[in-house]
Amino acid sequence: MPVTSPDIRVHDAHLRNLRHVSVDMPHGKLVAVTGVSGSGKSSLAFGTIHGEAQRRYLESVAPFARRLIAGAVDPRVGRIDGLPPTVALEQSRGGGGARSTVGTFSTVSNSVRLLFSRAGTYPEELRGRVGRLDSDHFSPNTAAGMCPTCQGTGTVHAPTEESMVPDPSLSIDEGAVAAWPGAWLGKNFHDILVTLGYRTDVPWSTLPREERDWILFTTDRPVVTVHPVRGAEQIQRTYEGTWRSVSTYLRETLASTSSESTRRRVLSFMEESVCPSCAGRRLTPDALSVTWRGMSIDELNGRPLAEVAELMGVAGGTAEAAEPSETSEAERLLLEQVVPTVKAAVELGVGHLSLDRPASTLSAGELQRLRLASQLHSGLFGVVYVLDEPSAGLHPSERVAVRDLMDRFLAAGNSVVLVEHDMSLVAGADWVVDVGPGAGENGGEILWSGPVDGLSGQDTPTGRALAAPPPVLKGGAVAVRPAASSLPVRTTERTLDVDTHLGLGQFTAVTGVSGSGKSTLVSTALPEILAEEGVRTVRITQQPIGRTTRSCLATYTGLFDAVRKLFAGTPEARRRGWSVSRFSYNVAAGRCPTCNGEGAIEVELVFLPGSYTTCPDCHGARYNDETLEVTWHGLTVAGVLDLTVTDALEVFAGEPSVLAALQALDAVGLSYLRLGQGAPELSGGEAQRIKLATELQRSRRARRGSRRGAETVYLLDEPTTGLHPSDVGLLVTELNRLVDAGDAVVVVEHDVRVVAQADRVIDLGPGAGADGGRVIADGTPAAVAESGTATGTALVTAVARGRESTETTT
Ligand code: ADP
Ligand code: ADP
Ligand code: ZN
Ligand code: ZN
């Protein structure tokens, strides 16, 4: 009998919906955690396992803060044996601050700056003057590196006559100088001009050139005794006023203001242009004169990662490589560090991104894959990586790379716990923990923990999905819906070169490898084209529906307005004279003053920013006690927020104003969510389905109003992210209902089962970036399967693999 267990043993996990479950997982293996959305996968993998590891870590670094930590991080688990430290990579948007880029986010930029600093080729003159530059000098975000003219932004703002006086046909009295501030200061400038004898009652354009220039651009600051021009009834007292030209006023305000709105207002009266000193390159001339392998750092940062990988892969500069020097040794060490990350990034399908691409423009999947790639940098071993659907956003042909990367983590002596919906990845896992069977209160049980073979074919959502029959390709035995009418789609947006059309009354899937241009087509080009054609368009993105706990499911869908009306209408509320606003947790009168209606308060843990703990006064209810004295059908307003959609369907069965929104949420598989669930607690996939539910409801209302010509085009970017195959089924049914009613649905999609049932597939490619952007196959799924493109191959493989697995199980 082994003395120590090689497993991670979780005893009595009861976080959120987990029902006091115990489960073992092997060390050093790939463990997939499966189950429908809301079943408790994340609660187990992230909340319990990573949560407990984090709690232990925090207690070890700050034992004095034990109580605070226990309040903020409570994994609600009896005990976990055999738990190594964990590294969690969750799906989330927005990497870092406004200036965060692919390079800073993946940590590749640090190495690239060091490469330029230590191994760059310096001009003789610079070498003689300063020696080598520090790596700081190669960042536009540091004082040493930024171009002094534009502060490292690459653009400058300069006031011009056109930008300050947009309408020269107006007189100064009529407001020709739009850039002047309102209130007293603007009046002061006007009155000084009158005092100095300028004509303010003739069109601006008729003033002599030198007068206009003086008003706008002079650096003189004459002090003038002003006789204010005011309404007759006001006291006219003279004062000493100082003149500043309009451009001086704008520049000085820009330099001194700390208000974002003032800043924006001032900038709107200036013309933006490329910085004349650095030509938009953001760095000092010194930094820009240094090259590495023939490129300046800004050039390198602008190249796709795939090219950077190639450049880094080739042997060093000829002369330097010949005899080992300090430089070549530094270069070798730096490359050793950074090349694995860059290569992994390329393999994970983000080779089309450049280092200077703002992180804010990346999808959740791209961000996560960058984060994964940068883990190779850390060289950790003996840890548990907890990952959230790393396959999201990847074409089936690219998913092999995810598996390879995880194998590298395993080979280095780590364990991987993977929350995953892609059945091809699940089928390849060493161990599966299936959570369910349903969502929320209907889930939270461990249905299976063991090798995947034992789960396939069992009567659970995952068991059924693993043994599902192959998808049927539409356009073969099953006919597609014909287009009722079609809209031309021509675009050269970014990397696209597309000339096609879109069918109303059809379900269109846009496919292609990462970077081929799918999002550009569906999220950028189509909305513009459709707007020009005057077609009603609904875009449903995975952007979170709000970042603060102020927004919740009930407020976002609008159903809370109707709920508050019900409460305000109760006899008790009327007696107290309370209106609907009393029942809003965003209004002072009704909410809990301790947490200002958030239900939670931020805990100041220096080493763990953004930690919240339940409000000690209202215990998460968000309201003050008085407000909770009013009930509707026995429920307080906080009680309503605590209902799940399923419960609420019963409670509000007789209230059509509330019911419609609830039914829409139920139809897209979100019945397990609580009405008061805060926006930050919702996953990207959930947010997307909430938006869809809200839009469905709106469309139904719109359609009731007008009979024809109200067709809508729905644009969705990877709606199946975060969805179990059984939830995908629900979503697709709902989308097809729209199409059957005459609308059009366009989805960016990788799930072959969704692609297979579309009426039409537009396949972009063949590669990423400049190598993509063209339509390489276009037609029914059955036709595209014959095309030989990567998507065609994926469709063929899915059909074949499905057939194999059903043959072996039957
Ligand atoms: P899955 O990962 O399987 O989609 P989760 O573990 O995220 O499921 O959710 C399990 C249950 O816990 C669901 O009912 C969900 O609505 C709820 N839940 C998820 N996150 C939170 C949270 N931060 N606070 C409260 N409830 C949550
Ligand atoms: P896909 O959705 O197929 O992964 P994208 O449409 O996101 O592809 O990208 C197509 C090309 O356009 C890529 O080269 C990508 O780097 C570039 N691109 C996409 N979005 C932006 C953006 N916001 N800024 C700059 N380049 C972008
Ligand atoms: Zn500049
Ligand atoms: Zn409170």
Side-chain angles (χ1 to χ4, degrees), residues 47-66:
T48 307
I49 295 177
H50 174 59
E52 172 65 7
Q54 205 179 19
R55 189 189 64 76
R56 289 184 194 176
Y57 166 73
L58 290 174
E59 285 197 2
S60 73
V61 294
F64 50 88
R66 197 174 274 262

Side-chain angles (χ1 to χ4, degrees), residues 82 90 209 216 221 287 310 350 362 373 521 537 674 686 740:
E90 283 178 77
R209 168 91 271 152
L216 295 177
R221 311 171 80 102
E310 234 166 76
V350 286
L362 303 177
L521 179 62
T537 308
R674 287 186 189 282
E686 281 171 341
D740 287 335

Side-chain angles (χ1 to χ4, degrees), residues 10 16 29 275 281 337 388 423 540 655 657 664 668 789:
V10 180
R16 293 180 207 139
K29 296 282 198 252
C275 171
R281 299 170 69 189
Q337 260 186 37
D388 187 6
M423 288 302 132
I540 300 177
E655 301 295 337
S657 57
V668 293
T789 63

